[in-house]
Amino acid sequence: MGEEGRKLEAEVADIAGKGGIRFVGPNSMGHADTRSQLSTFGQFGEMPKGQVAVLAQSGSTCLKIVRSLGESGIPLSKYISTGNEADLTMEDYLEYLADDEDTKIIAAYIEGLRDGRRFFNLAKKITPHKPIVAVKVGGTEESARAVMSHTGVLAGADAVYTAAFKQSGVIRVEDDDELCDVVYALLNSPLPRGNKVGILSIGGGPGALAAEACEKEGLAIGKLEPSTITRLDGLLSSRWPRRNPVDMAGPSAAEISVVASLLRAMMEDKNLDFIFLLAPIIMDKALLAGRLGLNPEAVKAYRDKEEKNITLIREKVEEYQKPVILMWQLRGYSDPETTALFRKGGFVVCANARRAASVLKYLVWYRQYLAVATGK
Amino acid sequence: MGEEGRKLEAEVADIAGKGGIRFVGPNSMGHADTRSQLSTFGQFGEMPKGQVAVLAQSGSTCLKIVRSLGESGIPLSKYISTGNEADLTMEDYLEYLADDEDTKIIAAYIEGLRDGRRFFNLAKKITPHKPIVAVKVGGTEESARAVMSHTGVLAGADAVYTAAFKQSGVIRVEDDDELCDVVYALLNSPLPRGNKVGILSIGGGPGALAAEACEKEGLAIGKLEPSTITRLDGLLSSRWPRRNPVDMAGPSAAEISVVASLLRAMMEDKNLDFIFLLAPIIMDKALLAGRLGLNPEAVKAYRDKEEKNITLIREKVEEYQKPVILMWQLRGYSDPETTALFRKGGFVVCANARRAASVLKYLVWYRQYLAVATGK
């Protein structure tokens, strides 16, 4: 933003201020409200109504987040590309969303805050009952300069932001992709009670990679209860390692009902707070009809069987408040049918083990924050 | 692997040894050679011949890597699920691949080495002319235990492995996804001469996120030459920030030929060693025919224009030996047509800025290693 731009912007703000007009931007891609179906974002057709609000100090990043959430089947309540915030600021939007009944989760892309104190005071009141997930850039020298020339805000000392986010219960993620994954998880899954992961894997390699990713994120690999080992003995070949990660090591992984039984047994283990599943639990249609060569009736029968197992798993998710995070068969991830099944099952779906471990870490942190903040 | 398993394995190895028979596994998913079209992996149909060999101490991870590379249009020379290595070991396969003319790049998933010294001595001879990319698990307590129960190898001290990989020029990546991305980059792109990145972005937010990701990986944000700024002034609206990251900030991003001109101008800047591009340079067919509503002739005309621009960009990639890493329009990533165009253009394509920055870091490191190892 050059000198001339700054002058023009001040002039617009001045005129609006005199007329008592509040406005979004400038340098904004617009905003949208799915309740009133009002959009200045160039939206075509009806907007699905949802529970997630997106605030972003960058139009292209706003668009990217909105699209990514949409592809994961997550509709929105509001989204705002806040632009240069010559009048309405990030803090104003946050204050509004605090009381917005349509909004259950707030996602924000932040370059810098004009009134950090106000933002974090608001956040502290909001986060005990409405999660805020935020990505904040400007933590390195050049990204801070990039931010300055983009929306004219000062990025500020990263350590200060980190502390303020932590104290006010804001889940600070590292990029827009993590932001979408965490929003998905918060919307579809309970929060884990602790940090002990159970890993159920189609093979030894993926299990070892997942264990390493989890430990590097500060999660613990839970020790299986003896009774769980006995139950798994009855479901698996004698080759299984009789420990966590549970390597299915054999044909069991091909039979969805066996995978579901193994999963349920692990969810009932008191030493595990959530399960990291590395096996296909839902097949995508293209695979069923294509490589497996099933006819339409057989595909339908397969889906019925899957849905039955998913219902049983979901019951356990609710009963024990233990998330199931899934990674493996991802080709069908953005197919609306399988996406709907994943959400119905309460599975958190991630394309990568390190990303999944990272999402779990955030859930664990937020649960711990809530325990302190709300005494529950 | 239990006591009985160990006994049976020793017996098999003993019988084979007496008969002078070498063998893969046991506990292996098989192996394949695309030159002779021999596969024990359950391969259907003809296998495309390629230049990448995959060695993996896990069948499911081997399969995942082979599939991921296949989806990125990368055919293989050989792939081997090495299993428990009761006879032939990782070291034997590496020795074989050192002289295999079909293999130009070696990718390995390693849990532990039986003869580390032999492996790293071989690697030191291979890496100056044939890159080795490896993921090594077992770096944390539980992943080391998982590895032990999986293939019976001792994972060993992680710091020792890290040092040995570094000294022998092996590019050590963090997981199988990075492995595939780095293999793709080595196969399709030159190595950068230095660590200075130029960022060309469709918007300020993505540019700031990319700058931060690059700096966190130890890459530097290059300072644009004055002559480059002048050239860009002629291509962009006056709103552009006149610095790196280059925010196209306007309609220019919609016109492929403008993006291509901007890209070429940045590639000719002496202060930049590679370009991180956050803008669509190739549209996928579904988008052209769908949202943009182009008829088949218009799609063809659009492709012709793209191909012309891609050829010009590729020429610059070759001329200046500067990689272009692309992130943005990823829906068409696995579509064979756009994948072929990406490869033709010498673009490295990544789904995430942090992943992209990570891949660039590995390329920079390997180039520096080669400079010392070969004196070039």
Side-chain angles (χ1 to χ4, degrees), chain A residues 54-365:
Chain A
V54 176
L55 301 174
Q57 286 177 331
S58 155
S60 17
T61 302
C62 188
L63 189 62
K64 185 154 177 256
I65 293 168
V66 170
R67 275 198 191 145
S68 298
L69 292 176
E71 283 166 21
S72 307
I74 301 175
L76 305 176
S77 55
K78 271 99 183 161
Y79 52 98
I80 303 158
S81 156
T82 71
N84 289 4
E85 305 179 7
D87 179 31
L88 290 169
T89 65
M90 190 56 99
E91 292 81 355
D92 296 320
Y93 301 118
L94 190 65
E95 188 168 30
Y96 172 79
L97 292 175
D99 298 320
D100 179 39
E101 282 179 20
D102 295 332
T103 300
K104 307 289 178 214
I105 298 171
I106 299 165
Y109 165 81
I110 299 167
E111 299 196 339
L113 297 171
R114 277 153 185 85
D115 186 352
R117 193 173 295 272
R118 183 174 160 220
F119 182 92
F120 289 110
N121 280 337
L122 281 166
K124 204 161 192 170
K125 282 184 204 142
I126 296 170
T127 54
H129 50 94
K130 202 179 270 195
I132 302 175
V133 194
V135 52
K136 162 76 179 69
V137 287
T140 58
E141 197 185 336
E142 288 301 322
S143 65
R145 271 192 216 148
V147 155
M148 185 68 200
S149 66
H150 178 218
T151 40
V153 294
L154 234 116
D158 200 54
V160 175
Y161 270 100
T162 301
F165 280 124
K166 202 170 272 181
Q167 283 165 23
S168 59
V170 175
I171 305 169
R172 184 188 185 173
V173 295
E174 290 216 35
D175 64 22
D176 50 331
D177 292 324
E178 276 195 357
L179 184 92
C180 295
D181 284 347
V182 172
V183 165
Y184 183 98
L186 289 168
L187 203 63
N188 291 286
S189 164
L191 296 172
R193 290 182 196 280
N195 78 336
K196 295 196 295 300
V197 59
I199 297 170
L200 177 57
S201 173
I202 200 167
L209 281 160
E212 187 158 294
C214 286
E215 285 199 301
K216 282 185 176 167
E217 292 290 359
L219 305 171
I221 312 298
K223 190 171 153 43
L224 298 179
E225 289 183 303
S227 59
T228 306
I229 293 178
T230 309
R231 276 177 77 178
L232 299 189
D233 279 341
L235 291 160
L236 290 165
S237 87
S238 63
R239 288 175 55 221
W240 87 280
R242 307 191 86 231
R243 56 186 310 287
N244 188 17
V246 175
D247 175 1
M248 288 184 265
S252 30
E255 178 48 48
I256 299 269
S257 64
V258 176
V259 178
S261 300
L262 292 164
L263 186 57
R264 289 199 302 277
M266 289 176 74
M267 290 169 88
E268 286 169 8
D269 189 311
K270 287 191 193 67
N271 291 342
L272 306 176
D273 297 312
F274 45 85
I275 311 296
F276 196 156
L277 178 64
L278 299 112
I281 194 82
I282 300 167
M283 297 283 186
D284 68 294
K285 218 180 221 164
L287 193 73
L288 291 175
R291 199 151 57 88
L292 299 183
L294 301 188
N295 63 34
E297 290 93 70
V299 170
K300 170 85 175 60
Y302 199 90
R303 273 286 180 269
D304 289 346
K305 204 166 74 167
E306 280 179 342
E307 294 218 34
K308 212 185 97 196
N309 282 310
I310 287 164
T311 307
L312 293 170
I313 293 165
R314 179 85 212 192
E315 282 170 17
K316 294 293 166 198
V317 168
E318 300 295 341
E319 186 181 348
Y320 296 105
Q321 295 290 298
K322 291 185 183 179
V324 174
I325 193 147
L326 181 79
M327 195 210 114
W328 189 253
Q329 273 299 355
L330 288 152
R331 289 158 147 273
Y333 183 35
S334 56
D335 159 51
E337 182 181 311
T338 42
T339 301
L341 285 169
F342 283 133
R343 294 194 63 194
K344 195 178 161 192
F347 302 120
V348 179
V349 187
C350 279
N352 175 276
R354 284 195 287 155
R355 170 80 52 85
S358 191
V359 171
L360 286 167
K361 169 191 71 180
Y362 295 125
L363 297 186
V364 168
W365 178 83

Side-chain angles (χ1 to χ4, degrees), chain B residues 293-325:
Chain B
L294 302 188
N295 64 33
E297 289 94 70
V299 170
K300 170 83 174 60
Y302 199 90
R303 273 285 181 270
D304 288 347
K305 203 166 74 168
E306 280 179 343
E307 294 217 36
K308 211 186 101 197
N309 283 310
I310 288 164
T311 306
L312 292 171
I313 294 166
R314 179 84 213 193
E315 281 170 17
K316 295 292 167 200
V317 168
E318 299 296 340
E319 185 180 348
Y320 296 104
Q321 295 290 299
K322 292 186 182 178
V324 175
I325 194 148

Side-chain angles (χ1 to χ4, degrees), chain B residues 32-39 47 49 77-78 102:
Chain B
D33 173 11
T34 61
R35 175 192 275 257
S36 63
Q37 294 287 315
L38 170 79
S39 169
M47 296 184 285
K49 288 181 194 68
S77 55
K78 272 98 182 161
D102 296 331

